[in-house]
Amino acid sequence: MFNFMKNRKIWYIISLLVILPGLFSMVTRGFNLGIDFTGGNLVEVRLDRDVKIEQVRTVVEELGYAAARNIQKSGTSDYMIRTRELTEEESATLISTLEQKVGEVNLLRNERVGPVIGRELTMNAIWALLIAAALMIVYMTFRFEFKQGVAAVTGLLHDVLVVMGIFSILQIEIDSAFVAAVLTIVGYSINNTIVIFDRVRENLRTRKKGEALEDLVNVSLWQTMARSINTVLAVLFVLLALYLLGGTTIKNFVLALIIGVTSGFYSSMLTASPLWVDLKLMEKKDNKHREAYSAK
């Protein structure tokens, strides 16, 4: 039986090799922010005939006002177009070009979204993550112990950094759906970690005298391995189908989930559990030092 715990430094190094380039990219290149963060126009139009969405996307893309994923069909012949911030002339050009290329256009609304909303969205997302992390530590401390809470939240931070880093490196556009994806990943990833820690707690009750903590956690990982693999594969199959067949508008959202779910599987097995082992071994070492100091 392969011993994951004895090789835990390798898992830490792999995590750093994935996270550090992402952090470097976040600092030096930043993110490709969508109009939810940078501001822009939200244009809704109704066409006089049924037109394929690809035709509308082609028109808007050729004008350079928005990417294809920012154009959605919202009704039988209604289309929602999210663009960069447009001037009055550019808005008029958009409507007139659509009329020339796809037929009569009835403008339902043309709203300008300011960057202030983007800042509020960013702050709300950060607060949501901090509150979620704090509540998870409280819950894990109540159900297990504080160090397991710290290890679990570190695993979640690992997943968030992996997703954000890859999106920054590849300069994939992020919008409000990305925030929802990150929060979903946090909720999903903690479940697998709880299952593993629950098995560790059960095994601690029947721990043999002299059995090393690393060996006990390793056995626990193997006992939950089949469940973890089956769960993550079931979710990934659905996400891959959505990514391939779900349409352009949700591709980035689904991609974030695919990366996050995969990272969550890795972190719950090979980040949170090994980290808890190291925290417990450090605690044991500190206790020995205190006892030795007291005996002098």
Side-chain angles (χ1 to χ4, degrees):
M1 182 168 62
F2 183 77
N3 196 322
F4 291 102
M5 291 301 106
K6 284 187 177 175
N7 296 285
R8 58 187 182 277
K9 287 183 180 176
I10 295 176
W11 317 132
Y12 294 153
I13 291 170
I14 291 173
S15 293
L16 288 174
L17 289 175
V18 175
I19 290 172
L20 288 179
L23 284 174
F24 181 76
S25 178
M26 281 187 263
V27 172
T28 57
R29 303 174 67 197
F31 295 99
N32 179 10
L33 299 173
I35 69 163
D36 292 341
F37 294 93
T38 60
N41 279 57
L42 185 62
V43 182
E44 188 171 8
V45 296
R46 177 171 294 161
L47 304 181
D48 64 341
R49 57 191 174 90
D50 190 18
V51 174
K52 288 186 177 179
I53 192 169
E54 286 76 15
Q55 292 177 261
V56 180
R57 284 174 174 158
T58 301
V59 172
V60 179
E61 273 194 305
E62 284 177 353
L63 288 171
Y65 292 167
R69 70 177 67 88
N70 291 328
I71 297 141
Q72 295 173 276
K73 196 169 185 178
S74 57
T76 309
S77 57
D78 295 352
Y79 297 85
M80 191 90 73
I81 304 168
R82 293 185 298 166
T83 69
R84 60 173 173 78
E85 197 162 349
L86 302 177
T87 62
E88 293 295 330
E89 291 77 15
E90 287 173 329
S91 294
T93 301
L94 172 63
I95 300 303
S96 61
T97 308
L98 282 172
E99 286 180 334
Q100 291 170 13
K101 298 286 181 67
V102 296
E104 192 67 29
V105 174
N106 181 19
L107 180 62
L108 300 179
R109 62 170 164 160
N110 182 5
E111 298 173 357
R112 187 170 293 176
V113 181
V116 174
I117 294 176
R119 285 195 291 273
E120 288 178 1
L121 184 64
T122 304
M123 291 308 300
N124 287 340
I126 292 171
W127 275 112
L129 280 174
L130 290 176
I131 291 170
L135 290 175
M136 284 176 190
I137 288 179
V138 171
Y139 171 73
M140 296 289 285
T141 303
F142 174 75
R143 185 168 175 183
F144 300 101
E145 63 172 74
F146 176 71
K147 286 186 173 61
Q148 284 178 316
V150 172
V153 170
T154 304
L156 299 182
L157 181 63
H158 169 282
D159 302 335
V160 172
L161 289 177
V162 167
V163 176
M164 293 179 69
I166 291 176
F167 267 64
S168 175
I169 290 170
L170 300 179
Q171 287 293 293
I172 302 170
E173 184 178 306
I174 65 173
D175 51 21
S176 55
F178 178 82
V179 177
V182 170
L183 293 173
T184 305
I185 291 163
V186 168
Y188 173 83
S189 183
I190 194 72
N191 282 333
N192 201 34
T193 306
I194 287 174
V195 169
I196 294 170
F197 282 169
D198 196 47
R199 182 55 60 95
V200 170
R201 183 176 59 177
E202 289 178 8
N203 289 337
L204 280 171
R205 292 172 184 154
T206 57
R207 185 179 183 181
K208 297 174 185 174
K209 189 176 180 181
E211 183 181 12
L213 184 63
E214 297 99 311
D215 295 335
L216 185 142
V217 174
N218 192 58
V219 169
S220 304
L221 284 180
W222 276 105
Q223 288 173 341
T224 55
M225 181 76 74
R227 180 264 180 204
S228 299
I229 291 175
N230 290 336
T231 303
V232 76
L233 284 180
V235 175
L236 283 178
F237 288 153
V238 175
L239 291 176
L240 286 172
L242 273 175
Y243 184 79
L244 295 173
L245 306 171
T248 308
T249 53
I250 62 169
K251 268 191 183 298
N252 290 351
F253 172 74
V254 177
L255 179 63
L257 288 178
I258 291 173
I259 297 169
V261 167
T262 307
S263 175
F265 171 74
Y266 179 91
S267 68
S268 60
M269 299 280 296
L270 304 173
T271 302
S273 301
L275 183 60
W276 178 69
V277 168
D278 280 328
L279 289 173
K280 292 298 287 183
L281 292 178
M282 286 170 61
E283 180 187 8
K284 188 178 178 182
K285 194 175 177 181
D286 288 343
N287 289 339
K288 281 185 177 178
H289 284 161
R290 273 197 291 270
E291 288 172 7
Y293 182 79
S294 301
K296 288 180 180 178

